[in-house]
Amino acid sequence: MIPKKTAIVATLRATQLFSAMDSSEVCSFAERTTIRRFASGELLFAEGEPCEGLYVVISGRVRIFKTSSTGREQVLAIEGAGRSIAELPVFDGGTYPASAAAVDEAQLLFVSRSDFRACCMEHPEVALKVLQVVGARIRRLVGIIEELSFTTLRHRLISWLLREAKAHGRPSEAGVVFELNISHQELATRVGTVRELVSRNMSRLQAQGLIQVQGHEVTILDREGLEADLTAAL
């Protein structure tokens, strides 16, 4: 069901990009907002295409990724409900710097670049508020670049496992358990490698007694051991 204007306003308010804006500023954007639906796997936009506008996820998840000349993907982020997408090209007028595709069926708010800029002209403070969020996004991307450039695959894989355990884990007698709801191929795109190396390194971590994998469940058996491994790699 398509949200009515009040629901659109509520969605924008719950989004970090718009959270610092006052009522008149949010309503100005809501009046210019449309709804777009995407099927699982469908592209929102491709890297290099002219920027049409900015998206806000209402439901579902969106994968932000770059693709090399050989076809290898590097996932930059998985954005869920309440997250905004493509803020930077809306400002600089350039092309989309990465591609975006729906992970599953998704519904998003869309504000065209021209309407976004019109809102900024009507409410000059909006641009400064948005730039704070864009700055935080750039810092996060710099962190991804540093991790890919200066750490080993083992380091990146352990970091990812510990982040997932912290975000989604539940305690058990053996340790902290979380669902591995993506394939090794998808995990490889997130840590900047290929599926075979992810599988090999997961097997090594199991053989060393640091983790246990049963079906789609991963158990962190030795958190201190994994954290010590990260420290030693620095």
Side-chain angles (χ1 to χ4, degrees):
M1 181 176 181
I2 294 177
K4 298 189 182 293
K5 182 179 175 181
T6 52
I8 290 175
V9 169
T11 298
L12 292 177
R13 285 189 182 282
T15 303
Q16 184 183 13
L17 185 67
F18 300 92
S19 61
M21 298 181 192
D22 61 32
S23 296
S24 64
E25 292 166 345
V26 173
C27 287
S28 181
F29 279 100
E31 290 170 357
R32 294 170 164 89
T33 296
T34 58
I35 307 295
R36 293 189 177 184
R37 289 191 174 93
F38 296 87
S40 175
E42 185 177 357
L43 274 177
L44 281 67
F45 51 81
E47 180 180 350
E49 290 181 349
C51 175
E52 292 185 357
L54 176 144
Y55 292 87
V56 173
V57 183
I58 301 172
S59 62
R61 294 173 298 156
V62 175
R63 178 169 56 100
I64 314 298
F65 63 97
K66 290 185 74 69
T67 306
S68 72
S69 58
T70 61
R72 181 171 150 188
E73 289 185 1
Q74 171 63 52
V75 174
L76 302 177
I78 301 289
E79 305 291 14
R83 300 290 292 183
S84 56
I85 298 169
E87 306 94 339
L88 187 60
V90 164
F91 272 102
D92 68 12
T95 59
Y96 289 114
S99 300
V103 175
D104 32 41
E105 187 175 335
Q107 185 175 215
L108 297 97
L109 299 178
F110 176 78
V111 182
S112 72
R113 181 171 177 268
S114 59
D115 282 338
F116 190 92
R117 292 173 71 87
C119 285
C120 289
M121 294 295 290
E122 292 174 10
H123 305 277
E125 290 297 314
V126 164
L128 292 176
K129 295 172 182 177
V130 171
L131 282 173
Q132 290 180 334
V133 176
V134 172
R137 183 68 58 89
I138 291 172
R139 286 182 183 275
R140 189 176 75 180
L141 291 175
V142 169
I144 292 174
I145 292 170
E146 289 179 343
E147 190 171 68
L148 289 173
S149 301
F150 303 120
T151 62
T152 64
L153 168 59
R154 180 183 174 93
H155 183 284
R156 297 195 299 274
L157 182 58
I158 289 174
S159 292
W160 187 89
L161 291 169
L162 290 175
R163 286 196 300 268
E164 287 296 299
K166 182 178 180 180
H168 307 295
R170 63 184 187 278
S172 70
E173 291 184 4
V176 178
V177 182
F178 66 90
E179 292 290 326
L180 184 64
N181 53 12
I182 59 174
S183 67
H184 280 193
Q185 178 60 49
E186 180 65 24
L187 177 51
T189 66
R190 299 196 189 188
V191 297
T193 188
V194 294
R195 180 183 58 79
E196 292 79 8
L197 290 180
V198 163
S199 299
R200 190 179 306 165
N201 276 270
M202 290 286 282
S203 295
R204 286 175 180 168
L205 293 174
Q206 286 193 83
Q208 293 167 345
L210 297 170
I211 67 171
Q212 176 180 292
V213 181
Q214 291 184 316
H216 292 289
E217 283 192 344
V218 176
T219 303
I220 303 297
L221 300 174
D222 186 356
R223 177 186 293 273
E224 291 183 355
L226 290 173
E227 291 174 344
D229 199 300
L230 290 182
T231 302
L234 296 177

